[in-house]
Amino acid sequence: MGGGMEAAYRGLLADAHGLLKPLGWKKEGGIFRLFLPDGLGKVIQFQRDRYNTAEDIGFTVNAGVYFEKDVPIQNRRFRESDCLFRIRPACLSPRYGRDTWWRLSAGTDPAALRTELGDFIHQDVLPLLDRFPTREETVELILNGEAQAWTDMNILHLRTARLLAEMGYDRRVLPLIEPPKNELFAALAAEIRERQK
């Protein structure tokens, strides 16, 4: 595959765009975003290995689900790290079942890698994101703990707890953050109790 690894990587992103664009996804570099009318956003983000060279490019695929207090989404450039639910889909895949990094190097069969990534997007990434069909159902999955079972990343961190409280879910958030993990959670719990008076 020679020295054109960067071009080959861009080709993989273009292939992914070819799969996702008809479904309404927008591309920005290695980030693909879907904006639903109810204010739910989804992202598929290719993450490059920090130790890449011109001859060897490693990458993984992250996914996430995003929403804000109000509709529509104001931050049109949200990233996977901004999401309220975040996951490496390969970790949940029955075919991979672990953190997976793909490589583009001289020994890579580009056609086979394109096919594998296309299958991965269709069979693993999109079905995972389909578990979050609407903004309202996504909020419910976070509050009832189901979403947490699908990722090893902590979902109910302070930013998410505060956002859900601001959205009117005070009564459901309070038992989830008590006893408070730290002073910031304690302050949020105090705010919620004050509002409930």
Side-chain angles (χ1 to χ4, degrees), residues 13-50:
L13 295 178
D15 286 352
H17 191 216
L19 295 173
L20 294 168
K21 186 178 180 182
L23 304 175
W25 292 76
K26 311 274 189 233
K27 179 181 183 299
E28 180 192 353
I31 303 174
F32 301 85
R33 296 182 188 89
L34 180 68
F35 295 91
L36 299 180
D38 70 350
L40 187 66
K42 300 181 182 185
V43 69
I44 298 169
Q45 187 166 332
F46 282 65
Q47 177 186 337
R48 294 167 63 123
D49 188 333
R50 69 179 71 174

Side-chain angles (χ1 to χ4, degrees), residues 16-18 22-23 38 47 51 55 62 79 82 88 90 102 108 119 128 133 163 190:
H17 191 216
L23 304 175
D38 70 350
Q47 177 186 337
Y51 302 111
E55 294 78 35
N62 303 313
R79 303 172 70 83
D82 299 316
R88 288 227 168 114
W102 290 269
T108 303
D119 290 346
L128 173 62
L163 173 62

Side-chain angles (χ1 to χ4, degrees), residues 136-150:
E136 190 175 325
E137 287 172 89
T138 299
V139 168
E140 182 59 33
L141 289 166
I142 292 172
L143 287 170
N144 71 20
E146 273 187 69
Q148 185 61 68
W150 300 332

Side-chain angles (χ1 to χ4, degrees), residues 1-196:
M1 212 164 159
M5 296 309 146
E6 191 61 41
Y9 180 72
R10 285 196 301 272
L12 289 173
L13 295 178
D15 286 352
H17 191 216
L19 295 173
L20 294 168
K21 186 178 180 182
L23 304 175
W25 292 76
K26 311 274 189 233
K27 179 181 183 299
E28 180 192 353
I31 303 174
F32 301 85
R33 296 182 188 89
L34 180 68
F35 295 91
L36 299 180
D38 70 350
L40 187 66
K42 300 181 182 185
V43 69
I44 298 169
Q45 187 166 332
F46 282 65
Q47 177 186 337
R48 294 167 63 123
D49 188 333
R50 69 179 71 174
Y51 302 111
N52 283 342
T53 66
E55 294 78 35
D56 184 49
I57 295 177
F59 63 93
T60 191
V61 178
N62 303 313
V65 180
Y66 179 82
F67 58 87
E68 298 170 350
K69 182 182 176 195
D70 299 311
V71 177
I73 290 172
Q74 297 301 304
N75 177 11
R76 307 296 286 182
R77 301 187 77 184
F78 70 89
R79 303 172 70 83
E80 177 263 340
S81 57
D82 299 316
C83 288
L84 297 108
F85 173 86
R86 301 167 59 201
I87 185 69
R88 288 227 168 114
C91 295
L92 279 189
S93 164
R95 294 176 307 135
Y96 296 94
R98 58 185 164 71
D99 190 7
T100 301
W101 290 74
W102 290 269
R103 301 218 76 81
L104 270 171
S105 62
T108 303
D109 176 345
L113 183 56
R114 278 198 300 275
T115 299
E116 181 181 349
L117 280 171
D119 290 346
F120 176 64
I121 289 170
H122 274 301
Q123 296 174 30
D124 297 303
V125 183
L126 293 175
L128 173 62
L129 292 174
D130 285 346
R131 293 180 181 185
F132 303 91
T134 67
R135 182 174 184 263
E136 190 175 325
E137 287 172 89
T138 299
V139 168
E140 182 59 33
L141 289 166
I142 292 172
L143 287 170
N144 71 20
E146 273 187 69
Q148 185 61 68
W150 300 332
T151 180
D152 58 357
M153 296 186 189
N154 178 36
I155 289 183
L156 205 70
H157 43 69
L158 184 67
R159 182 171 56 98
T160 302
R162 182 172 293 286
L163 173 62
L164 292 170
E166 288 171 359
M167 289 171 66
Y169 294 98
D170 278 354
R171 282 188 168 73
R172 304 233 0 234
V173 168
L174 191 56
L176 299 176
I177 63 171
E178 292 195 309
K181 289 185 267 194
N182 57 42
E183 290 175 15
L184 295 171
F185 276 93
L188 176 59
E191 276 178 44
I192 291 173
R193 281 194 295 270
E194 186 63 31
R195 279 201 293 271
Q196 290 178 345

